[in-house]
Amino acid sequence: PVSIIGSFLFIYALGGSINMISLFAFIITLGIIVDDAIVVGENIHHKRQQGLPPLRAYIEGVREMAAPVFVAVATNVIAFIPLLFVPGSTGRFFAIMPAVVIAVFVVSLLESLFVLPAHLAYKKNGGSTSILSRMNWLPNKCDRLLERFILGFFSPLLRKIIQHRYLTTVVALAVLIVAYAYWDAGWINFSFRPKIQTDRVDAEIVLPYGSSFDDVRRIAKIIEPAGTRTVEQNGARDSLVVLITDPGK
C-alpha cells in the first residue's frame, strides 16, 4: 500500500489519473513489489535469528540485499521504458501505464530499503496485553508450521536436488521437451489474436483508386444483403436495429 499510495505523487506530477489503464498498471506491479519487501525482510529476520541486535541486523540485512533488489527493480524499470516512446494515438493512450509502473517501482525500492527495515529494527517492549498482541497466536502458529515444513521437508529435498544437480537438470529439460511436444502436437491451440464474441458486425471495402461512385453503390448493395443474412444465420434477426451503408466515407 505504501508503494502504491506513494506513486500517486508521481501520477499527479505527470498529469495522469486513476483509470482502467493505471489500475491495470498497479496490478502488474503487485507481485514484484511484494517480492522486494519479502527478500529484504527475510534477510533481516535471518540476521535476527543469528543473534544480532535489531539495529545491527537491519544494517547487515539491507547491505546484503541492496544490490540484488536494486538490480531487480532497475531491470523492470528498463523493460517498461520503451513503452513511453510508442508513437501515435496508441502510445498516448497507454503512456500512463509505464509511467505508473516505473513510479511504483521507484517508491517500492525506497520503501523496501529504508522504511520497511526501520520498522523491523524496532524492538517491541515485552509484557504488552493489548488485543493485537493476544491475536499474535495465529501468526506464531503459522510461523511454527512453516518452519517445521522447511526443516522437515523442504531443506532435505533441496539438499538432495543440489547433490544430484545433473539429474535435476535432465529432468527439467525432459519436462520442457514434453511441454513443447504437447503444444507442437496441436493439443494446445495457439492464436495471436483470439476471436472475441461481439454483437457488432463491421465490413469495410476498399476499391481501387479512381473507381466510380456507381461501382461503390453497386458493391454496397451486395454487402447489405450479406450483412442481413449473417444476422439471420445467428438467430438475431429481431435484434437488428439499423443497417448503415455509407459509401465514400
Side-chain angles (χ1 to χ4, degrees):
V2 175
S3 301
I4 294 178
I5 295 175
S7 66
F8 290 171
L9 299 175
F10 294 89
I11 297 176
Y12 176 78
L14 295 172
S17 62
I18 299 178
N19 49 54
M20 292 299 296
I21 303 300
S22 60
L23 291 177
F24 178 71
F26 288 133
I27 295 174
I28 293 176
T29 61
L30 283 179
I32 302 175
I33 61 179
V34 170
D35 292 341
D36 296 341
I38 291 175
V39 168
V40 176
E42 285 292 331
N43 197 46
I44 295 176
H45 179 67
H46 177 65
K47 297 297 180 181
R48 293 288 299 272
Q49 287 183 328
Q50 291 179 342
L52 294 179
L55 183 59
R56 187 65 182 175
Y58 156 49
I59 296 174
E60 293 294 333
V62 174
R63 182 179 299 171
E64 291 181 359
M65 290 293 107
V69 170
F70 177 81
V71 172
V73 173
T75 302
N76 292 303
V77 169
I78 293 173
F80 280 92
I81 286 178
L83 295 179
L84 294 171
F85 304 99
V86 176
S89 58
T90 302
R92 293 192 298 270
F93 182 75
F94 288 102
I96 189 63
M97 184 176 70
V100 170
V101 170
I102 293 174
V104 174
F105 284 156
V106 171
V107 177
S108 171
L109 178 64
L110 298 176
E111 197 273 340
S112 63
L113 294 181
F114 298 101
V115 180
L116 175 65
H119 291 167
L120 296 178
Y122 176 73
K123 185 177 181 180
K124 297 181 180 180
N125 296 324
S128 177
T129 58
S130 63
I131 298 178
L132 294 178
S133 298
R134 295 177 181 178
M135 294 176 61
N136 283 337
W137 67 270
L138 181 59
N140 293 336
K141 180 67 175 181
C142 294
D143 185 65
R144 287 193 297 269
L145 292 176
L146 179 60
E147 190 169 356
R148 185 184 305 173
F149 170 78
I150 293 174
L151 297 178
F153 176 77
F154 181 74
S155 295
L157 178 63
L158 183 59
R159 282 193 292 267
K160 291 182 179 180
I161 290 175
I162 295 175
Q163 291 174 359
H164 303 86
R165 56 186 180 276
Y166 298 113
L167 177 61
T168 303
T169 304
V170 171
V171 172
L173 290 176
V175 172
L176 182 62
I177 293 173
V178 170
Y180 175 79
Y182 190 78
W183 168 79
D184 190 61
W187 292 351
I188 300 179
N189 295 326
F190 174 79
S191 177
F192 184 74
R193 298 182 62 182
K195 296 180 179 180
I196 302 176
Q197 294 183 355
T198 180
D199 56 356
R200 178 184 177 93
V201 178
D202 294 324
E204 182 178 353
I205 307 299
V206 180
L207 299 180
Y209 181 76
S211 299
S212 63
F213 189 75
D214 293 335
D215 293 336
V216 176
R217 294 190 60 86
R218 178 173 55 83
I219 295 177
K221 291 180 180 180
I222 298 175
I223 297 299
E224 287 182 4
T228 304
R229 288 195 301 270
T230 301
V231 174
E232 292 175 349
Q233 290 174 0
N234 288 274
R237 184 67 178 86
D238 296 336
S239 64
L240 180 61
V241 178
V242 63
L243 184 64
I244 299 175
T245 305
D246 192 1
K249 184 176 180 180

